[in-house]
Amino acid sequence: MNRRQLLAAPALLGAAAALPLPALAQEFPSGPVRGIVPFAAGSATDTVARLFGEKMREVLGQPVVVENRAGANGLIGAEAVARAPADGQTVLFGTNSTNAAANALFRRVPFDMERDFAPVSLLCSVPLLVAVAANSPHRTLADLLAAARARPEGLTFASASASQRVSTEMLAAMAGVKLLHVPYRASPAAVQDLIAGRVDLFVADQAVILPGVQGGQLRALGVTTKERSAQLPDVPSVAEQGLPDYEIFAWFVLCAPANTPARAIERLNAAARHAGADATLRERLGTGMGMTVRTGSPDEARAFMRAETVKWTNAIRAAGIEPE
């Protein structure tokens, strides 16, 4: 080392010591972010994840690689994220099923909905549609409920997630009817069986049902929110059809494992908000699927999930659903 280098070395070391640690370490994310979707490809959650992930790359500088880990009403995929390293490189595209309803629906949940996850941002929400096949004899919700009263457990309903099951059981309880539950692993399979007449009823996210309605294969009998859907303005809400207290909707949230560094949460949140502000994404989710984009802060997401956990727990108990 020459004299000039020797003289410069202390100054360089001092400057390096003054730098914050993140500037010395590799910037987050260090590689592709693994986005776990706890439901099958083609589900509403999968669609949300892929649209958000595509735009989040513009902020993260790394791709969000979507991985479908379906099964057990979303518990398998959610557990995978809860047990993942808390470095922000693995995230969950969660829902009301995994992050609000699970404890009330299942006796053994392999994670703690609040303690095992760090909320990043709420993403969007969507009403559900009460649907039958286009050739169903039940042309209105009143027709369907009358048939159910005449034949207790004579009509079947499909579900592939907690929101689908709870929304249907809640409808049945409020209407005073009994339906027979047919569980499915994935929504697309339930839709196909509904079209084929193998099940009588499917209450699912508008994003799942709308294509079949628009294609003439399904008939929507009601919307689960108090307001009608902008995409189906002629379809009345369930509340308008004799059940004024009925209201429920599905939502999607981005979470990381608990104890993920604040810097990673901030970067992921910035990426989610950037995606949520994109006009093309909002158009595809809104006009195309009836979803409302609702990105915000991590604290807002946490408060929302706590309130929704209370709401979904009360709905599950009111519907008389016993934990499995």
Side-chain angles (χ1 to χ4, degrees), residues 128-131 158 163-164 167-168 171 201-205 224 246:
L128 287 75
L129 296 176
V130 181
S163 61
Q164 294 167 2
S167 60
T168 314
L171 173 64
L201 172 69
F202 191 26
V203 183
D205 309 351
T224 65
Y246 184 94

Side-chain angles (χ1 to χ4, degrees), residues 6-269:
L6 285 170
L7 290 172
L12 290 172
L13 288 172
L19 287 172
L21 286 176
L24 296 175
Q26 189 171 15
E27 186 72 12
F28 171 85
S30 59
V33 174
R34 183 179 172 221
I36 301 295
V37 172
F39 299 100
S43 64
T45 314
D46 180 69
T47 300
V48 169
R50 293 181 189 278
L51 290 176
F52 266 88
E54 180 181 353
K55 298 303 298 182
M56 287 173 66
R57 178 175 188 164
E58 295 174 4
V59 170
L60 297 175
Q62 294 283 352
V64 177
V65 180
V66 173
E67 179 181 330
N68 297 93
R69 295 286 297 274
N73 284 280
L75 300 188
I76 292 173
E79 182 185 13
V81 177
R83 305 288 176 255
D87 55 9
Q89 295 289 152
T90 301
V91 296
L92 172 70
F93 286 94
T95 71
N96 46 278
S97 294
T98 55
N99 294 86
N103 283 349
L105 280 175
F106 306 104
R107 290 189 176 89
R108 297 183 63 185
V109 178
F111 54 83
D112 186 286
M113 291 188 301
E114 183 159 346
R115 289 199 304 267
D116 288 342
F117 295 104
V120 174
S121 175
L122 188 64
L123 299 178
C124 51
S125 62
V126 64
L128 287 75
L129 296 176
V130 181
V132 296
N135 61 359
S136 168
H138 315 301
R139 303 197 63 81
T140 67
L141 182 61
D143 291 343
L144 178 79
L145 296 178
R149 290 189 186 95
R151 294 190 296 137
E153 295 192 337
L155 298 185
T156 57
F157 77 91
S159 82
S161 71
S163 61
Q164 294 167 2
R165 182 183 177 190
V166 173
S167 60
T168 314
E169 296 274 22
M170 182 177 167
L171 173 64
M174 287 187 170
V177 302
K178 290 186 177 181
L179 304 170
L180 183 63
H181 181 213
V182 181
Y184 284 80
R185 183 178 175 85
S187 292
V191 169
Q192 290 305 311
D193 274 8
L194 182 67
I195 292 170
R198 287 186 280 270
V199 287
D200 298 301
L201 172 69
F202 191 26
V203 183
D205 309 351
Q206 180 166 297
V208 172
I209 298 296
L210 189 59
V213 174
Q214 293 173 330
Q217 300 163 306
L218 298 177
R219 180 186 305 130
L221 303 183
V223 183
T224 65
T225 48
K226 293 287 180 74
E227 302 80 19
R228 294 191 181 195
S229 165
Q231 287 71 34
L232 298 170
D234 295 331
V235 177
S237 68
V238 173
E240 291 178 70
Q241 301 182 71
L243 298 173
D245 294 329
Y246 184 94
E247 182 178 32
I248 202 163
F249 62 90
W251 45 265
F252 309 88
V253 66
L254 184 66
C255 294
N259 301 315
T260 294
R263 174 57 183 150
I265 296 293
E266 291 168 3
R267 191 81 185 277
L268 288 165
N269 178 263

